[in-house]
Amino acid sequence: MKTKIYTLLLILSFITPCFGQSNDLIETVRKGNRQIKSFTAKFTEMQYRHATKQSNEMYGKMYFDAIGRIAMIYTEPEGDYVIIDGSTIVTKRKGQKSHFSGAKANAMTELSNNIMHCMTGEINLVAEENDAELRSKADNTYYNFILTRRTIDPKQKHQLVKLTLRYDKRSCALVLLMAEDASGNTSTYALSAPQLNVEIPDNVFISKQ
């Protein structure tokens, strides 16, 4: 799986110069996502740290519904999770549970808004909220988008500076999200085996112990 993801990132680096801007592609993805009321998929998450040149892969299953809830339940490392329900975010990493909500969760709220907008195909909103230039390209299988922040604050080392999105051309469902911060760190989420408009039990979106 690691080889597949590195190959995918290499392909993305080569196709970047071919990108342009098309409001038609943006609108196609937005309209297509209006038909998706719920979504489950297997995911591979890859975290790359520029300073150490090290990467770490994690695996699990993602659940999403259009009312504003996302759950990422990890099988590796087992027991970890991220649950987003509106403006509330609950995470469990390495046995440590964290809860974010209200004004003290501004950074996490911004992150959750970005993820939710990407999942629902609201690419223009992501561009507006991050003051980003938006470029797009369609190939035979995917709609591809790159968002690049216009102004970077040198004091914010973890500020989002670039976002790469890929949507399946048949369903308009998100299949790849790659975020890069000002320090050169990247977080990549590759989604596979998606199931659309399936019933998801409410308890999936409730944090576990």
Side-chain angles (χ1 to χ4, degrees):
M1 178 63 75
K2 182 178 291 186
T3 301
K4 291 181 180 179
I5 292 182
Y6 278 122
T7 301
L8 180 57
L9 299 183
L10 185 61
I11 291 172
L12 285 172
S13 69
F14 280 124
I15 64 177
T16 298
C18 302
F19 277 66
Q21 184 170 0
S22 172
N23 290 329
D24 289 341
L25 294 188
I26 297 168
E27 185 63 16
T28 296
V29 170
R30 190 176 70 85
K31 286 183 176 179
N33 272 271
R34 286 182 178 178
Q35 308 304 315
I36 301 175
K37 305 304 179 185
S38 63
F39 177 100
T40 70
K42 296 178 181 179
F43 72 84
T44 298
E45 175 183 345
M46 185 176 75
Q47 298 286 342
Y48 172 77
R49 294 295 169 258
H50 178 72
T52 61
K53 310 300 182 187
Q54 293 182 339
S55 62
N56 183 38
E57 287 191 11
M58 294 160 277
Y59 308 92
K61 189 169 184 178
M62 174 183 284
Y63 303 83
F64 158 80
D65 68 24
I67 67 173
R69 300 185 296 182
I70 296 174
M72 298 176 65
I73 311 300
Y74 290 79
T75 54
E76 186 181 334
E78 186 176 5
D80 283 10
Y81 58 79
V82 176
I83 297 175
I84 302 172
D85 187 350
S87 60
T88 299
I89 306 162
V90 181
T91 67
K92 187 176 182 182
R93 299 280 193 180
K94 298 180 180 180
Q96 181 66 41
K97 187 175 179 180
S98 301
H99 183 278
F100 306 89
S101 64
K104 294 182 179 180
N106 287 338
M108 291 297 292
T109 300
E110 179 180 340
L111 174 63
S112 68
N113 286 342
N114 282 331
I115 294 173
M116 189 61 66
H117 291 332
C118 293
M119 291 295 298
T120 56
E122 295 289 352
I123 304 165
N124 268 334
L125 287 180
V126 181
E128 291 172 8
E129 293 179 3
N130 291 277
D131 187 27
E133 176 190 2
L134 173 57
R135 293 175 291 160
S136 58
K137 178 181 181 293
D139 56 36
N140 292 334
T141 310
Y142 302 108
Y143 297 116
N144 305 282
F145 301 90
I146 292 180
L147 297 88
T148 307
R149 186 181 291 273
R150 294 186 176 91
T151 305
I152 300 174
D153 185 347
K155 296 180 180 179
Q156 296 188 34
K157 295 183 179 181
H158 299 294
Q159 183 181 45
L160 177 66
V161 298
K162 186 176 181 180
L163 189 63
T164 302
L165 305 172
R166 173 167 281 182
Y167 294 85
D168 179 76
K169 209 167 184 180
R170 290 175 298 176
S171 66
C172 290
L174 182 70
V175 295
L176 178 88
L177 184 155
M178 182 172 69
E180 180 178 344
D181 70 17
S183 297
N185 304 314
T186 60
S187 300
T188 304
Y189 301 87
L191 307 181
S192 61
Q195 293 183 300
L196 308 183
N197 298 320
V198 294
E199 185 174 351
I200 302 175
D202 282 340
N203 62 7
V204 169
F205 301 104
I206 298 174
S207 61
K208 288 76 176 169
Q209 295 300 318

